[in-house]
Amino acid sequence: FPLAAQQTVGGCQVLPIANIWNTPVASLPVAGNSTAVVTHIGLTDTMHPDFGTVWEGAPIGIPYVVVPNAQAMLPIDFVSLDGWPEESDDGPYPIPLNPPIEGGDTPTNQGDRHILVVRQGACILYELYHSWKEGDSNGELTCAVPGATPGWCGLSGAVYDLASNALRPDSWTSADAAGLPILPGLVRYDEVKSGKITHALRFTVSRTQKGYVLPATHWASSYTDGNLLPMGARLRLRADFDTSGYTGDSRVILEALKKYGLIVADNGSNWFITGATDSRWDDDDLNQLK
C-alpha cells in the first residue's frame, strides 16, 4: 500500500508507519460474510461521533495528555476486585497533577475513566482504565499504592513503545477490552483540522464475538455467532458512498473511513466512533455523521 504521512502526538510518531493502525485498507477484498455481519450490527442504527464538547455537563470523548520526559513517575495499584492486575503493566506511570480523565474527575463518574499519557522524548504511551487517585472515593473499590508517594489506582493498564509494533501478550487485555491501545484510534482535533486522518479509527458495537483477530489480543464476550465481529476486526466505508454533500470535519472523517476504516475495540453502542475530548469541536458539524 502507498503509505501516508505518519500521525504524531507531542512530537512522537504514533506507532511505525507500516503498523496496522496506519495501513490503508481501501483496496483489500471484502469478506464473504460482510453483508451478514453489517446487517447483524444494524442497518438502521446510525453512526455516532462519541466525542464533542459536553453532554449533560460532562466532557465527551477520551482525553489524552502529553507530559515531558522528566515528568514524575507515580506508583500504580491495579485492583484485583473486578480488575485485571495479572494482565496489566506495572507502574510507575508519569501521571501529572490533575490529569484529564474520561467523563471528568468527579465522584459521580463511574464510567470507563480512562487516562492516556504520552511521555515526550521517550515516546512511551501509558493508558489506564477506570482510574482514580489513591485516597479518593470510588464506590466500594479501594486501593493502597505501595510506597510513600501517593499514586493512582485502576482496574487495568498498559504501556506501549510508540516506535514498536509489539502487541500485548496473547489473551491479555489492556486499558481497552480488545487489548489494543486507545490513542492510535482516536479522532483528534488537530489532525482533522489539518485536513487528513492517516489511521484507522476506534469504534464499538453492542455485541462482539468470543474471539479476536490481530492486532487485538483479548475478547470480552460469550457469543459464538460467526456473524458477530471479533475484537480487532476491520470495517471500512464503502468506496461508492458519496461524501460530496458533507462538509468540514465530518467530510475529513468520512474520507478516512473509506481509506483506513474502523477497528472494533470494545463492547458499547453500535457504530460509536471514539474521538479525543476537545472543547473546540463543532457539534453541529459532527452531527452530520449521524
Side-chain angles (χ1 to χ4, degrees):
F1 299 99
L3 299 176
Q6 176 69 48
Q7 61 162 325
T8 61
V9 171
C12 297
Q13 287 192 352
V14 182
L15 303 176
I17 195 166
N19 186 275
I20 190 65
W21 280 98
N22 301 324
T23 302
V25 294
S27 61
L28 287 180
V30 178
N33 66 336
S34 174
T35 299
V37 167
V38 174
T39 301
H40 219 74
I41 299 172
L43 295 176
T44 58
D45 291 340
T46 58
M47 184 183 295
H48 187 95
D50 199 17
F51 56 99
T53 54
V54 295
W55 182 71
E56 294 186 349
I60 312 173
I62 300 180
Y64 66 92
V65 64
V66 177
V67 300
N69 200 19
Q71 177 69 43
M73 304 291 284
L74 300 180
I76 307 293
D77 180 26
F78 292 109
V79 178
S80 57
L81 177 64
D82 293 333
W84 297 267
E86 71 283 356
E87 297 178 17
S88 294
D89 291 330
D90 295 334
Y93 286 25
I95 300 179
L97 185 68
N98 301 318
I101 297 176
E102 181 185 8
D105 187 13
T106 64
T108 57
N109 175 17
Q110 291 298 307
D112 287 350
R113 295 182 63 96
H114 286 108
I115 291 179
L116 313 183
V117 180
V118 175
R119 185 180 172 198
Q120 286 182 306
C123 291
I124 304 294
L125 170 64
Y126 301 79
E127 299 189 341
L128 281 176
Y129 165 67
H130 204 85
S131 53
W132 72 98
K133 246 181 237 179
E134 180 187 17
D136 284 357
S137 173
N138 190 11
E140 296 180 351
L141 295 175
T142 60
C143 76
V145 176
T149 304
W152 281 78
C153 316
L155 297 190
S156 64
V159 179
Y160 301 91
D161 179 350
L162 290 175
S164 171
N165 285 318
L167 303 179
R168 304 287 290 160
D170 190 49
S171 81
W172 277 32
T173 188
S174 60
D176 216 356
L180 296 166
I182 297 170
L183 180 73
L186 294 182
V187 181
R188 303 193 324 272
Y189 184 85
D190 59 317
E191 63 179 350
V192 169
K193 288 304 181 185
S194 77
K196 183 182 293 186
I197 297 172
T198 58
H199 58 86
L201 304 181
R202 177 190 186 273
F203 89 118
T204 61
V205 293
S206 62
R207 285 187 176 184
T208 53
Q209 186 187 134
K210 184 182 179 182
Y212 56 84
V213 294
L214 299 180
T217 58
H218 185 261
W219 67 63
S221 173
S222 59
Y223 299 107
T224 58
D225 186 337
N227 288 325
L228 293 174
L229 288 171
M231 293 292 188
R234 188 86 162 247
L235 280 75
R236 67 179 179 222
L237 189 59
R238 292 172 60 104
D240 61 0
F241 182 83
D242 184 6
T243 62
S244 63
Y246 295 83
T247 60
D249 298 347
S250 290
R251 176 74 176 270
V252 173
I253 294 168
L254 291 172
E255 294 299 336
L257 293 184
K258 283 188 173 185
K259 186 170 183 179
Y260 295 94
L262 300 155
I263 295 180
V264 184
D266 199 357
N267 299 307
S269 299
N270 286 330
W271 305 117
F272 270 47
I273 297 177
T274 315
T277 304
D278 199 303
S279 61
R280 296 171 294 177
W281 286 120
D282 182 336
D283 293 333
D284 289 335
D285 184 314
L286 295 177
N287 281 338
Q288 295 177 80
L289 296 174
K290 300 176 181 179

